[in-house]
Every structure is written in structure tokens, then in C-alpha cells.
Amino acid sequence: MKEGDAIASVGGDGRCAAAPNVDVRFMPDQDFPSAAKAMATGPSSSGAASERRGRSALPHFIYGDIIQFVDFVTISLNAVLVSYIYHIEVLIADFDYQLYASAGIIGATGLTALLRRDGCYDFERLLSSSRGIPAILTRWAMVLLGLIAFAFTLKISGVYSRIWLFTWAASTIVILAGVRVAASAYLRREAKAGGVFGRRVALIGAKDTCEAFQSQLNDGGLGVTVVDAFSIDDAGESCGHNLFADEVRSIVKLARDGAVDDVLIAPRNMDRETMRRLINQLSDLPVSVAVLSSVHWLDHRGGEVIRIGGAPALRLYRRPLEGWGSFVKTLEDRILGTLIFIAASPILVACAIALMIQGGGPILFVQQRHGFNHEVFRIYKFRTMTVAEDGDSVTQATRNDARVTKVGAFLRKWSLDELPQLINVLKGEMSLVGPRPHALAHNDAYARTVVNYSGRHKVKPGITGWAQVNGYRGETSENEHMAMRVKYDLEYIDNWSLWFDFKIIALTVSAVLFPRNAY
């Protein structure tokens, strides 16, 4: 077996078709082989063994520690460097470098602590610079606000130059962003090439779990290679404690030769005693041994391992807007919503006057919608149609719909009919950004036919959303279209951040100026 060989499929007999050179057989009359016995059978060539032992995976957390150290030193030194250039080269004046070094160290400590707390130095997060840079921006802004408040409280703000502060803040962002891009590129290259950050795993367990694990690696398991896989199919249910001797012997041999870094057990219908004996046989190997959960757990991409009362648990869904998220989201809606409402007031008045001149009904269209936690609220929109349906049967607007008025067509094209929902935002019934709410009749129908549709109600609905800026707006006559909306909505809920909201708002402005599917 050569390093880098990976499973390609699972055979119809229940064995993973991963290792053509390994004879994987069911041995009902044998017990687990001991590690010593496994080492004594079928020794590999000394050259291959030496090569394997010479390559060991570097723990992923070390890379995060290195980046954290680089961040700390960069922020601290940059504070002194900027102050030196400003005072010596520009002002040509002496300065107390210790003051600026102290500010740099405090800022560096605050930022790296926040990034560490929020998992931004985790290996998987460092693989993507597009996720790391926004995290730095938001947390660096928090640190700077804290430093400014601290300086005002101690009445030492006058000691520091404002030009220095802005230059230090901006240049630090640029440098840290560059560090993230370079680190991400290096890490991805090394992991993809099977370098020190690559991980080689061996699987033993149920074939459907093997397939699910391999599928996740194909979708995004950069740097992880399945060296060997041994499937325990349903035949194991009737075997008692008679186990797969050849499979365990092969895994022990791979681990002793240094060919794998992790052994993953994927049990199914394995009783406690059988599981205990398997773990005991693997416990003395110089590799990491872990247990995969069921195939249903692997199919759920958003899960994570947590501890509740000291006991480990597999969390499928995270409480949305945890920690400060709910407070920050509310603050965003109230402050930004008020500012947008004030700025849009002339447009609101103009739209209302146009609808009054047109006549034919009220200015506002009011309809019941499901909000946070399925609570029903009354949404406000400018009336754009000759009907005002709000019952068990609501017909969606279609392209060239005869019910849309002339003024209404203009309002709908430029999404101006949505502006009264700012009132819902200020009332706390909606957010600026979130899953779009639908009429009660449509909501009930989609909840029965679209998987995970009701998960959209874990947060407040929004005037705009991640699905809308990705082109999924307007009519939803097909379940496939709605399923894509739900996919984007749930992705937004699982990955919410203040930066994410600002990004969606910016994209919404672009979508309004260059409308698509607006009718």
C-alpha cells in the first residue's frame, strides 16, 4: 500500500474497495490479533518503513499558534514603526516609543485573544482567507473602540496622535490581510501536496459511513487522505466477538510503519464489548484513534462536538445568534434601520403621493406573515396590485401580471414597495437582513414539501437576504426554486456575522440598481 492511495468505492459485498493489494477477508474463527503479532506478520521492507516513519503529520494547532504569534508581533511592531515614521520622518520630533509600544501590545493582545476565542486560528478557518479577513476587520474595530474608550477614561487620549492611530489601524489591517492570504495559500498548497499538514487516515467500520466520510473529503477535506479502509457490513451483527482479524492486523501494521496519522472507527450494530475490545487493541498505537458517528451525523454538515455537563455530545444545530450576536443584531437593526428610514423618508413620501394620485385603494398593503419562532405579524408594503389577498389562498405575482398597477410596476421594478418594512424593523418584528417572509398560505404549503423550510424561522425575517442577492427572489412557483432559497437562508443563519450583514446590504444596493427577476 502506497501513501496517498484512497478508497474509490464500496464493493457490493460490503468491503471498501480501497486497497487492491490488501486481502480483506472475514475471519469468523479468529480473535483480534495483538499488536506484537501483527508486527511479526508480513513485515514491510526496511526502506519503505524508514520512509514512512520519517514523515509524521504536524499537529494542526501548531500552525494556528504560529499565525497567532505572527499577528501579535506584527501589530506590536507596526505600532512602533508607524509612530517612528510619523514623528521622526514627518514631524522631525522626538517621541516616547514606550507609549506607542504599550498601545501596540494591548491592541495585539486584545485582537489575538478575540480571534483565538472565536476559533479564527483553527486549521480549517485558516485554509480560507476569505473567511479570515472579515473576522479580523470586525474584531479589530472592536479592539480599536476599546482602546479609544480606555484612553478617554484615563484622560490620556491627547498623548497619542490621531494621524498615528488611523495610520496604525489601516496599515495593520492591510498587513494582517496579507499574512492571511499568504498563510492560506501556503497551507492549502502543503496540505494538497500531502506535506506536513496533510493527514492520512485509516477507516474501519460500516460501509455507508465510510462512503459518507469519503464524500465529505471529496467536497472539502483538503489535506486528508484515506490510506486504507476496511468495511464491517451487516454480517457482523451475528458474529458476536469473532472479529475482522485481517483488517485490524493491517491497520496495526500501517500505524506501526508510520503510514497513517489517524484511525477512525465507524461502528454500526457493534455491541459494547466488541467496541471495547477493538479500542483496546488500537489504544497502544502511536496514532490518534477516534470514533465516527452514524452516517446521519456525517450527512449533517453543520454539526460539531460539544460538552454538556462534562459529557460529550454531537450538536446538530447551534442556537442562532449565540452570545453577543443577538444584541449586536438588534443594535444593528435599530441604529442602521433608523438611519435608513430617515434617509429614505423623502422617497417614502413621494411613493405615497404617487399612490394617492393613482387612487384605487389604500396606500399600504398589509398582510400576515410568519416571523421569528413562527409568530404571526403584519407586514407593511406599498400597494402595487389591484387586489389585497390575505387568506387561505394567495396567488403570487407573475411576470406581466395584469393585477399590477402602473405605479406598482415601477415600485416593484426598483423594490421601492419594500421600503415600508422599515417600520416592521423599527417595531422589532423584522431585521434589515434575514430570510424573506412569505404569506401564511404559501408558508404552510412549503413547510410540508420543502425540507428544513421551517428552519428559516429561527431568526427574524428580513427586508433582504442572502438568497435574494444570489438571484433567488420573486416568484417561487417550483419547489426546487424554494429549496435553493432555503439553502441560502440556512447558510446565512449558520454563518451570521455583522460583516456578513453589511456584505448583503451592499449587494442589495447593487441588485436594486441593476434589477433581475423584479416584477
Side-chain angles (χ1 to χ4, degrees), residues 304-319:
E304 59 182 327
V305 178
I306 62 171
R307 286 190 173 271
I308 300 178
L314 303 178
R315 180 167 65 181
L316 296 178
Y317 297 101
R318 184 182 62 175
R319 179 186 176 92

Side-chain angles (χ1 to χ4, degrees), residues 136-170:
I136 292 173
L137 286 173
T138 54
R139 287 153 185 81
W140 183 231
M142 293 173 60
V143 170
L144 290 175
L145 290 175
L147 286 174
I148 293 172
F150 183 73
F152 271 103
T153 301
L154 297 182
K155 298 182 179 180
I156 59 172
S157 59
V159 176
Y160 295 95
S161 165
R162 290 174 176 80
I163 295 178
W164 167 82
L165 177 62
F166 289 121
T167 306
W168 175 51

Side-chain angles (χ1 to χ4, degrees), residues 232-251:
I232 300 175
D233 59 15
D234 293 334
E237 297 179 14
S238 59
C239 297
H241 299 321
N242 296 320
L243 301 163
F244 294 78
D246 277 4
E247 286 85 336
V248 177
R249 182 182 295 112
S250 297
I251 287 180

Side-chain angles (χ1 to χ4, degrees), residues 206 296 478:
H296 307 293
E478 298 179 358

Side-chain angles (χ1 to χ4, degrees), residues 83 133 140 203 346 355 372 425 440 496 501:
S83 63
I133 294 174
W140 183 231
L203 297 173
L355 289 170
F372 171 68
V425 172
L440 299 187
W496 177 87
D501 274 1

Side-chain angles (χ1 to χ4, degrees), residues 347-377:
I347 301 176
L348 287 165
V349 172
C351 292
I353 293 174
L355 289 170
M356 288 177 61
I357 295 174
Q358 175 184 257
I363 295 175
L364 294 179
F365 165 60
V366 182
Q367 189 180 63
Q368 294 187 98
R369 303 279 177 103
H370 277 295
F372 171 68
N373 202 24
H374 290 274
E375 294 180 359
V376 177
F377 72 100

Side-chain angles (χ1 to χ4, degrees), residues 41-73:
T41 59
S44 60
S45 66
S46 59
S50 175
E51 181 181 354
R52 284 167 174 166
R53 291 192 185 97
R55 188 277 185 206
S56 60
L58 192 66
H60 287 174
F61 73 86
I62 291 181
Y63 196 75
D65 291 345
I66 294 174
I67 297 300
Q68 183 175 3
F69 177 76
V70 171
D71 286 349
F72 185 91
V73 173

Side-chain angles (χ1 to χ4, degrees), residues 134-368:
I136 292 173
L137 286 173
T138 54
R139 287 153 185 81
W140 183 231
M142 293 173 60
V143 170
L144 290 175
L145 290 175
L147 286 174
I148 293 172
F150 183 73
F152 271 103
T153 301
L154 297 182
K155 298 182 179 180
I156 59 172
S157 59
V159 176
Y160 295 95
S161 165
R162 290 174 176 80
I163 295 178
W164 167 82
L165 177 62
F166 289 121
T167 306
W168 175 51
S171 59
T172 295
I173 291 174
V174 173
I175 295 172
L176 293 184
V179 170
R180 282 299 180 279
V181 171
S184 175
Y186 169 76
L187 181 57
R188 293 176 68 87
R189 185 180 68 250
E190 287 297 311
K192 186 178 294 185
V196 293
F197 296 109
R199 300 200 69 82
R200 302 158 302 170
V201 302
L203 297 173
I204 179 169
K207 73 170 185 178
D208 55 353
T209 309
C210 288
E211 287 179 320
F213 182 79
Q214 180 67 33
S215 176
Q216 287 213 2
L217 294 187
N218 292 338
D219 289 345
L222 185 64
V224 180
T225 301
V226 177
V227 175
D228 229 328
F230 307 94
S231 175
I232 300 175
D233 59 15
D234 293 334
E237 297 179 14
S238 59
C239 297
H241 299 321
N242 296 320
L243 301 163
F244 294 78
D246 277 4
E247 286 85 336
V248 177
R249 182 182 295 112
S250 297
I251 287 180
V252 169
K253 185 173 182 298
L254 288 170
R256 292 295 186 188
D257 285 348
V260 296
D261 306 304
D262 302 89
V263 175
L264 302 182
I265 305 171
R268 183 180 62 188
N269 302 322
M270 188 181 294
D271 60 63
R272 182 175 182 179
E273 179 62 19
T274 301
M275 186 69 178
R276 183 189 66 79
R277 289 161 64 83
L278 174 59
I279 292 175
N280 285 344
Q281 291 298 317
L282 299 176
S283 62
D284 63 340
L285 298 177
V287 297
S288 171
V289 179
V291 177
L292 290 173
S293 187
S294 68
V295 64
H296 307 293
W297 163 257
L298 287 173
D299 285 341
H300 186 83
R301 302 301 178 90
E304 59 182 327
V305 178
I306 62 171
R307 286 190 173 271
I308 300 178
L314 303 178
R315 180 167 65 181
L316 296 178
Y317 297 101
R318 184 182 62 175
R319 179 186 176 92
L321 304 179
E322 280 187 316
W324 285 89
S326 179
F327 174 77
V328 172
K329 180 75 166 171
T330 301
L331 203 63
E332 171 198 354
D333 289 334
R334 295 300 169 86
I335 295 176
L336 195 56
T338 300
L339 294 176
I340 295 176
F341 183 80
I342 294 173
S345 292
I347 301 176
L348 287 165
V349 172
C351 292
I353 293 174
L355 289 170
M356 288 177 61
I357 295 174
Q358 175 184 257
I363 295 175
L364 294 179
F365 165 60
V366 182
Q367 189 180 63
Q368 294 187 98

